[in-house]
Amino acid sequence: MTAFARIQESSYAWEIRSVNHRSLEIRTKIPEAIRELEASIKEHARQSLKRGYVEIFFHEIPPEHVSPTEPQRLDPELLQAIQEVSKTLPTKKVLSVVDVTRLLQNPNLLRARTTKTEYDLNELVVRFKSCLKQLVETRQREGHALRTIVQASVETSRNLLTRIETLGKEQPKLIQERLTERLRALDRHVDPNRVAQEIALLAQKSDFKEEQDRLTIHLQDVEQCLTETVPVGRRLNFLAQEILREANTLAVKAQLPACASLVIDLKVCVDQMREQVQNIE
């Protein structure tokens, strides 16, 4: 599930991002100074999250100003190297083209005052957990919105199934009419019993009552999953795939033009639902 959380303090900030993923994958980008917290941080994340590609960042925030009592100073080694190079030049006039101001713009020439921030590791973990809680709450809000969308798709699918079932009752009659018309075009006498057997066989092959029953059961399972408080993303994803498979079979068996059109609408609705459940944990 897509979510973002950030908690910032005076000298650092925790940032967590998550996007859709089939399973749970955690990546951390933290400095070496707090590398010992990596295992603990990942464990806390695993306890709170069950699905998604999660990136955890620790940003060090440098001080805004350098203390005037500790001014920057020239790097003596680099300065000595410049002096040695200047001695080898054939004339001193060459140095006149080098502006001192431009020379000092070289970031390697000035040795900045370095300050090493000491972190309270326990405090860092506490703040990380707060950031993680913020992320979970964001994912939960998205999950509630997705549940409403998936529930609407289930209701639409159920209504389409009801209409398909009503039209499906006319399918044996359509098969009989088509076969009779073909035999009339051949202008040959055929045993009526043989015709009745063929009609029954074709009607049996095109009957999609089993697919309808399985679709109804799968839709009920989806609704049940939407009421659960535990992670159900994987199960919903599997159910959506099964519903789409049954809808494809139904599309092959539906021969009435109006019925086939409704089956296409059903497949579109199910495919939209399948895309949404991939975002649910």
Side-chain angles (χ1 to χ4, degrees), residues 45-64:
R46 291 191 190 96
Q47 292 176 0
S48 301
L49 309 172
K50 302 302 179 185
R51 198 179 187 191
Y53 179 81
V54 182
E55 291 183 295
I56 301 172
F57 300 89
F58 182 85
H59 300 291
E60 294 182 285
I61 302 177
E64 296 181 358

Side-chain angles (χ1 to χ4, degrees), residues 223-253:
E223 284 187 317
Q224 178 62 34
C225 288
L226 294 178
T227 64
E228 299 289 343
T229 57
V230 297
V232 292
R234 289 178 178 273
R235 181 171 178 81
L236 283 174
N237 192 33
F238 171 77
L239 287 172
Q241 292 177 359
E242 288 298 302
I243 292 173
L244 187 59
R245 186 174 66 85
E246 296 295 345
N248 287 331
T249 306
L250 189 60
V252 174
K253 292 185 175 182

Side-chain angles (χ1 to χ4, degrees), residues 8 20 26 43 60 83 86 93 95 144 150 168 183 216 263:
Q8 181 170 329
N20 303 329
I26 302 174
E43 181 59 29
E60 294 182 285
Q83 291 174 345
S86 65
K93 294 181 179 180
L95 286 180
H144 289 309
V150 174
L183 292 175
T216 300
V263 173

Side-chain angles (χ1 to χ4, degrees), residues 59-195:
H59 300 291
E60 294 182 285
I61 302 177
E64 296 181 358
H65 303 285
V66 177
S67 174
T69 60
E70 299 181 28
Q72 293 177 322
R73 58 191 179 88
L74 296 176
D75 189 322
E77 297 179 358
L78 185 56
L79 185 58
Q80 182 180 357
I82 294 175
Q83 291 174 345
E84 292 178 356
V85 170
S86 65
K87 293 177 182 179
T88 62
L89 296 176
T91 174
K92 298 290 185 180
K93 294 181 179 180
V94 179
L95 286 180
S96 62
V97 299
V98 181
D99 183 33
V100 176
T101 303
R102 183 180 293 273
L103 187 63
L104 292 177
Q105 290 178 353
N106 186 339
N108 296 321
L109 185 61
L110 292 176
R111 177 175 293 178
R113 178 177 61 88
T114 58
T115 57
K116 183 178 180 180
T117 305
E118 297 292 338
Y119 296 109
D120 184 338
L121 299 184
N122 292 329
E123 178 189 356
L124 291 183
V125 174
V126 171
R127 299 306 292 156
F128 170 76
K129 292 170 68 174
S130 298
C131 189
L132 184 61
K133 180 181 179 182
Q134 185 183 115
L135 183 82
V136 171
E137 291 173 351
T138 302
R139 287 161 62 103
Q140 287 176 343
R141 287 193 296 269
E142 182 185 1
H144 289 309
L146 290 174
R147 179 173 61 184
T148 302
I149 295 174
V150 174
Q151 180 63 49
S153 296
V154 170
E155 293 175 359
T156 301
S157 299
R158 184 175 286 118
N159 292 335
L160 288 171
L161 270 179
T162 301
R163 295 169 62 186
I164 291 171
E165 182 179 7
T166 301
L167 290 174
K169 295 177 181 179
E170 302 295 325
Q171 190 153 282
K173 181 180 178 181
L174 174 66
I175 294 173
Q176 182 178 1
E177 292 175 352
R178 286 180 176 177
L179 184 60
T180 303
E181 184 65 26
R182 290 176 182 175
L183 292 175
R184 187 180 296 112
L186 291 174
D187 194 20
R188 291 184 179 181
H189 175 72
V190 181
D191 184 3
N193 293 330
R194 180 61 177 172
V195 173

